[in-house]
Short mmCIF file of all heavy atoms in Angstrom, two decimals:
data_model
loop_
_atom_site.label_atom_id
_atom_site.label_comp_id
_atom_site.label_asym_id
_atom_site.label_seq_id
_atom_site.Cartn_x
_atom_site.Cartn_y
_atom_site.Cartn_z
N GLU A 339 -20.79 -9.88 0.81
CA GLU A 339 -21.76 -9.75 1.90
C GLU A 339 -22.58 -8.47 1.74
O GLU A 339 -23.79 -8.46 1.95
CB GLU A 339 -21.03 -9.75 3.25
CG GLU A 339 -20.49 -11.12 3.64
CD GLU A 339 -19.62 -11.07 4.88
OE1 GLU A 339 -19.19 -9.95 5.25
OE2 GLU A 339 -19.36 -12.13 5.47
N ARG A 340 -21.91 -7.38 1.34
CA ARG A 340 -22.63 -6.11 1.11
C ARG A 340 -23.58 -6.25 -0.07
O ARG A 340 -24.70 -5.72 -0.05
CB ARG A 340 -21.62 -4.99 0.84
CG ARG A 340 -20.69 -4.65 1.99
CD ARG A 340 -21.40 -3.92 3.11
NE ARG A 340 -22.08 -2.72 2.65
CZ ARG A 340 -21.49 -1.55 2.38
NH1 ARG A 340 -20.15 -1.45 2.55
NH2 ARG A 340 -22.18 -0.52 1.99
N LEU A 341 -23.15 -6.97 -1.11
CA LEU A 341 -24.01 -7.17 -2.27
C LEU A 341 -25.21 -8.04 -1.91
O LEU A 341 -26.32 -7.85 -2.43
CB LEU A 341 -23.22 -7.80 -3.42
CG LEU A 341 -22.22 -6.87 -4.12
CD1 LEU A 341 -21.41 -7.64 -5.14
CD2 LEU A 341 -22.94 -5.70 -4.79
N GLN A 342 -25.01 -9.02 -1.02
CA GLN A 342 -26.13 -9.83 -0.55
C GLN A 342 -27.19 -8.95 0.10
O GLN A 342 -28.39 -9.14 -0.11
CB GLN A 342 -25.65 -10.88 0.45
CG GLN A 342 -25.12 -12.16 -0.17
CD GLN A 342 -24.84 -13.20 0.88
OE1 GLN A 342 -24.44 -12.87 2.00
NE2 GLN A 342 -25.03 -14.46 0.53
N GLU A 343 -26.74 -7.99 0.90
CA GLU A 343 -27.67 -7.06 1.54
C GLU A 343 -28.49 -6.31 0.49
O GLU A 343 -29.71 -6.15 0.64
CB GLU A 343 -26.89 -6.04 2.39
CG GLU A 343 -26.12 -6.63 3.56
CD GLU A 343 -25.22 -5.60 4.21
OE1 GLU A 343 -25.18 -4.45 3.70
OE2 GLU A 343 -24.53 -5.93 5.20
N LEU A 344 -27.82 -5.86 -0.57
CA LEU A 344 -28.50 -5.11 -1.62
C LEU A 344 -29.49 -5.99 -2.38
O LEU A 344 -30.60 -5.55 -2.70
CB LEU A 344 -27.47 -4.51 -2.58
CG LEU A 344 -28.00 -3.61 -3.69
CD1 LEU A 344 -28.80 -2.45 -3.11
CD2 LEU A 344 -26.85 -3.10 -4.55
N VAL A 345 -29.10 -7.24 -2.65
CA VAL A 345 -29.99 -8.16 -3.36
C VAL A 345 -31.24 -8.42 -2.53
O VAL A 345 -32.37 -8.43 -3.04
CB VAL A 345 -29.27 -9.49 -3.68
CG1 VAL A 345 -30.24 -10.54 -4.18
CG2 VAL A 345 -28.17 -9.25 -4.72
N ARG A 346 -31.07 -8.62 -1.22
CA ARG A 346 -32.21 -8.88 -0.35
C ARG A 346 -33.13 -7.65 -0.26
O ARG A 346 -34.35 -7.77 -0.14
CB ARG A 346 -31.74 -9.27 1.05
CG ARG A 346 -31.01 -10.60 1.11
CD ARG A 346 -30.78 -11.03 2.55
NE ARG A 346 -29.95 -12.21 2.62
CZ ARG A 346 -28.69 -12.21 3.04
NH1 ARG A 346 -28.12 -11.08 3.42
NH2 ARG A 346 -27.99 -13.33 3.10
N ALA A 347 -32.52 -6.47 -0.28
CA ALA A 347 -33.31 -5.24 -0.14
C ALA A 347 -34.09 -4.90 -1.42
O ALA A 347 -35.12 -4.23 -1.36
CB ALA A 347 -32.40 -4.07 0.23
N THR A 348 -33.59 -5.37 -2.57
CA THR A 348 -34.25 -5.07 -3.85
C THR A 348 -34.43 -6.36 -4.66
O THR A 348 -33.87 -6.49 -5.75
CB THR A 348 -33.41 -4.07 -4.66
OG1 THR A 348 -32.09 -4.60 -4.84
CG2 THR A 348 -33.31 -2.73 -3.95
N PRO A 349 -35.19 -7.32 -4.14
CA PRO A 349 -35.27 -8.64 -4.79
C PRO A 349 -35.88 -8.60 -6.19
O PRO A 349 -35.56 -9.45 -7.02
CB PRO A 349 -36.16 -9.44 -3.82
CG PRO A 349 -36.94 -8.42 -3.08
CD PRO A 349 -36.04 -7.24 -2.95
N GLU A 350 -36.75 -7.64 -6.46
CA GLU A 350 -37.43 -7.60 -7.76
C GLU A 350 -36.76 -6.66 -8.75
O GLU A 350 -37.01 -6.74 -9.96
CB GLU A 350 -38.90 -7.18 -7.57
CG GLU A 350 -39.68 -8.05 -6.59
CD GLU A 350 -39.75 -9.50 -7.05
OE1 GLU A 350 -39.77 -9.73 -8.27
OE2 GLU A 350 -39.78 -10.39 -6.18
N ASP A 351 -35.94 -5.74 -8.27
CA ASP A 351 -35.43 -4.68 -9.13
C ASP A 351 -34.18 -5.06 -9.91
O ASP A 351 -33.92 -4.51 -10.97
CB ASP A 351 -35.12 -3.43 -8.29
CG ASP A 351 -36.36 -2.88 -7.61
OD1 ASP A 351 -37.46 -3.20 -8.08
OD2 ASP A 351 -36.22 -2.15 -6.61
#
Side-chain angles (χ1 to χ4, degrees):
E339 288 173 344
R340 296 287 306 282
L341 288 174
Q342 276 187 326
E343 296 171 357
L344 184 57
V345 170
R346 294 190 187 108
T348 57
E350 305 299 328
D351 298 340

